[in-house]
Amino acid sequence: RFQACVYFACVFQAMSCGIHYLASVFMAVTPNFLCGIPGNVSSVLFYNSSESSIEDIWTLWTSTENYIVVQLENGEIWELNQCSRSKREVSLDLSYEYKGNKSIFSCSDGFLYDDTKWKSTVVTQWDLVCDREWLAKLIQPTFMLGVLIGAVVFGDIADRLGRQRVIWFTSACQFVFGIAVAFTFGYYSFVIVRFLLAMVSSGYLVVAFVYVTEFVGIKARTWASMHVHAFFAVGIMIVALVGFLVRTWWVYQIFLSIATLPFVLCCWMLPETPFWLLSEERYEDTEKVINIMARWNRVSTPCKVSELCSVQQDDLVGGRSGDNDTSSTKKHNILDLFCNWHIARRTITVWLIWFTGSLGYYVFSLSSVNLGGNEYLNLFLIGAVELPCYIIACIGMDKLGRRNTLIPFLILSALICVLIMFIPQDFNILVILANMAGKFSIGVAFGLIYLYTAELYPTIVRSLAVGSGSMMCRVGSVVAPFCVYLRSVWIFMPLLLVGIMALLSGILTMMLPETLGKPLTNT
């Protein structure tokens, strides 16, 4: 009962991480737009269609290369493109085709936006189009950079100061920064606050994985850890739902951030994990936490400090006999993940799996834009398709083991990458199904690696190991868009790279130990 309450409180907050990671999908969307005009419009012409206002033309707008002809109340006739406008020197009659002289002007009067789908986005708020378009494209990469830094920073802090304090701090900051984003006064303040939001969201997710792993027993650890991902996917589905209902970006951001509030109000009640307290030799505090757990779970056997001391001493003696460098009092850093060749090889393999999982996930996701249709439904389904993926992963991990599930799914994703290359491009449905199968298989590996990493390392560097792995995962998500740009070199180049990485990861995983049913190591 105690572990269940702690677990569901933590994974509820994981939904808000999924929300903030994907919020920019609708917040930073670029609607149809045109150059602004220096006056009131009397009539509008688009090919053979004549309307009284530009708002009526948006439904006919099909290509960004088209232009619209408008006549002002003072008789001037202008041609409006997306990033420029031209004034016709001879304005006798309103016609679409014109062979005479034109004077070209920049968009000094701002831009006109199609607000039929979105009333307001950050792009329309700060005119992030044309020569400022690169600023809009920086919104998600800067967020991912914050995620990368936050994973390492808070993973390390959690090993030094404890999991509980980091969970308190990051969850409170998620709510504060989430609301603050909606009230930013300019583009640069918006990006900075989103960067800080990314850091604390990433920090929470990394530490929450370690936190629930250390509280949940061996029997339920697989399902508990994997379904943190499921709640993250529910967060993605919430983004789709809120995006469908709210079309003004700052109201949309406030609604998404409010999801964090219930956890912020009760997170101060969460205890520190006994594993971390024991590794810090705080035996009395460990005894208190375990006795609270015993009362909640109606277990009559009390915990004795002397028993904890003897367990810890046995661990330390065993640890020192195997490795003379191990010390319970030493402050640990990322170099401890490379303390000897055995651990270094394990770290390199784990990092490669994190990188490949993220790279494959985003390359397959970007390839799925061919689905078309309703973008809100598409995002909802992208979130929903992850749920069965984690159930399959859980069953495989419990029945076959962590390593024996990871290897076939990594190799399967590599084979699917090769298969897609041989499917004729005319077979759209088959191509899409193969891409979704690839995303499903890489998703199993991607979800599994969190728990596997936590089980492969001892308590003293566990958060650091998961945090550094998450950093490699973010590197993969930053590299993924550049990988997709390689389609211009060869259409299958992104799939070839993902296939090679997945195959290499699958082969190296064979050298990792199995952790199914094994107790977590302390030293």
Side-chain angles (χ1 to χ4, degrees):
R1 189 184 293 113
F2 181 87
Q3 282 90 331
C5 289
V6 167
Y7 176 76
F8 284 109
C10 288
V11 294
F12 176 82
Q13 179 69 359
M15 285 196 301
S16 71
C17 297
I19 285 168
H20 292 307
Y21 276 44
L22 270 290
S24 66
V25 172
F26 299 126
M27 188 165 36
V29 72
T30 304
N32 290 328
F33 67 94
L34 284 168
C35 215
I37 35 175
N40 296 321
V41 177
S42 60
S43 57
V44 182
L45 189 65
F46 182 66
Y47 288 110
N48 298 324
S49 303
S50 181
E51 303 289 349
S52 58
S53 69
I54 291 175
E55 285 72 21
D56 301 322
I57 291 290
W58 292 125
T59 52
L60 307 172
W61 184 269
T62 53
S63 171
T64 57
E65 295 174 4
N66 294 331
Y67 64 90
I68 290 175
V69 180
V70 297
Q71 186 168 29
L72 305 184
E73 290 177 348
N74 62 8
E76 292 178 354
I77 297 177
W78 291 75
E79 290 180 12
L80 304 181
N81 293 303
Q82 283 203 313
C83 297
S84 66
R85 56 187 178 172
S86 49
K87 179 184 175 184
R88 292 180 178 178
E89 299 297 338
V90 180
S91 51
L92 296 175
D93 60 328
L94 186 63
S95 61
Y96 195 74
E97 299 295 336
Y98 175 75
K99 302 295 184 185
N101 294 329
K102 292 183 282 190
S103 302
I104 298 175
F105 297 90
S106 63
C107 302
S108 55
D109 291 295
F111 297 87
L112 302 169
Y113 296 98
D114 177 9
D115 61 359
T116 50
K117 269 191 180 178
W118 298 281
K119 297 298 179 190
S120 170
T121 70
V122 294
V123 172
T124 64
Q125 179 97 10
W126 296 305
D127 288 337
L128 305 180
V129 291
C130 298
D131 58 340
R132 286 167 58 85
E133 184 183 7
W134 65 277
L135 293 172
K137 289 183 175 177
L138 276 180
I139 289 173
Q140 193 62 16
T142 51
F143 185 90
M144 284 300 179
L145 184 64
V147 167
L148 188 155
I149 294 169
V152 176
V153 170
F154 286 106
D156 190 32
I157 292 172
D159 282 332
R160 294 168 187 270
L161 301 181
R163 287 72 162 117
Q164 178 196 47
R165 292 176 186 174
V166 174
I167 282 178
W168 288 357
F169 179 78
T170 52
S171 54
C173 286
Q174 261 188 297
F175 177 72
V176 172
F177 291 143
I179 296 293
V181 166
F183 295 99
T184 47
F185 50 83
Y187 170 79
Y188 294 105
S189 60
F190 169 82
V191 169
I192 290 167
V193 176
R194 283 254 308 165
F195 179 84
L196 296 173
L197 176 62
M199 283 186 66
V200 294
S201 296
S202 172
Y204 178 83
L205 199 59
V206 166
V207 177
F209 266 104
V210 174
Y211 188 79
V212 299
T213 302
E214 290 183 352
F215 258 115
V216 176
I218 293 172
K219 183 175 68 173
R221 194 190 299 154
T222 305
W223 285 83
S225 176
M226 284 294 282
H227 282 83
V228 177
H229 288 286
F231 281 86
F232 185 92
V234 170
I236 296 172
M237 294 155 74
I238 290 170
V239 169
L241 182 64
V242 175
F244 176 74
L245 298 172
V246 183
R247 306 298 176 90
T248 304
W249 78 267
W250 60 272
V251 179
Y252 159 86
Q253 175 66 26
I254 289 171
F255 271 96
L256 292 178
S257 300
I258 286 172
T260 319
L261 189 57
F263 182 79
V264 174
L265 297 177
C266 68
C267 70
W268 58 272
M269 292 187 287
L270 293 176
E272 185 54 82
T273 71
F275 270 102
W276 185 82
L277 291 170
L278 203 57
S279 70
E280 293 289 306
E281 299 181 3
R282 289 166 56 179
Y283 303 116
E284 288 82 3
D285 293 332
T286 311
E287 181 188 26
K288 287 176 188 173
V289 172
I290 293 175
N291 285 336
I292 291 169
M293 290 165 69
R295 281 202 303 275
W296 273 63
N297 297 337
R298 296 172 185 171
V299 177
S300 56
T301 310
C303 170
K304 298 283 195 303
V305 174
S306 57
E307 291 172 4
L308 292 175
C309 291
S310 63
V311 167
Q312 182 75 343
Q313 289 304 317
D314 289 345
D315 277 350
L316 289 174
V317 169
R320 285 200 181 101
S321 63
D323 185 354
N324 294 327
D325 295 334
T326 304
S327 170
S328 62
T329 57
K330 178 188 167 188
K331 291 298 179 184
H332 297 274
N333 57 46
I334 203 161
L335 294 177
D336 289 303
L337 301 180
F338 298 89
C339 61
N340 59 48
W341 169 240
H342 175 69
I343 295 291
R345 188 178 62 191
R346 181 179 297 189
T347 300
I348 290 166
T349 303
V350 166
W351 281 9
L352 184 66
I353 300 166
W354 280 89
F355 179 85
T356 304
S358 181
L359 182 73
Y361 183 91
Y362 285 103
V363 166
F364 279 119
S365 297
L366 292 167
S367 301
S368 68
V369 293
N370 297 325
L371 289 170
N374 186 303
E375 57 271 339
Y376 301 104
L377 181 60
N378 287 351
L379 184 67
F380 188 87
L381 292 174
I382 280 174
V385 82
E386 293 182 42
L387 303 181
C389 150
Y390 300 135
I391 293 171
I392 296 293
C394 283
I395 294 170
M397 283 198 295
D398 273 347
K399 301 296 181 186
L400 304 173
R402 282 74 159 120
R403 185 185 62 183
N404 296 338
T405 304
L406 188 58
I407 293 167
F409 276 103
L410 281 170
I411 294 173
L412 177 63
S413 59
L415 293 174
I416 290 170
C417 288
V418 175
L419 177 66
I420 294 171
M421 296 180 195
F422 291 98
I423 299 174
Q425 291 300 294
D426 298 336
F427 291 42
N428 285 340
I429 294 174
L430 203 56
V431 170
I432 291 166
L433 287 174
N435 271 278
M436 296 312 288
K439 186 186 172 191
F440 181 91
S441 58
I442 207 82
V444 171
F446 197 25
L448 189 157
I449 191 58
Y450 276 89
L451 174 63
Y452 198 27
T453 304
E455 290 182 339
L456 283 170
Y457 292 90
T459 305
I460 48 178
V461 290
R462 189 171 296 127
S463 280
L464 188 59
V466 176
S468 63
S470 184
M471 179 188 71
M472 293 307 297
C473 153
R474 290 308 135 211
V475 172
S477 65
V478 171
V479 170
F482 298 104
C483 183
V484 173
Y485 295 152
L486 293 175
R487 284 173 65 92
S488 59
V489 178
W490 183 43
I491 192 168
F492 296 123
M493 184 66 82
L495 290 171
L496 180 65
L497 292 174
V498 171
I500 291 169
M501 296 294 288
L503 185 63
L504 181 62
S505 301
I507 292 167
L508 287 174
T509 304
M510 295 177 185
M511 294 188 285
L512 292 177
E514 181 54 71
T515 58
L516 176 64
K518 305 280 178 65
L520 291 174
T521 53
N522 234 14
T523 60

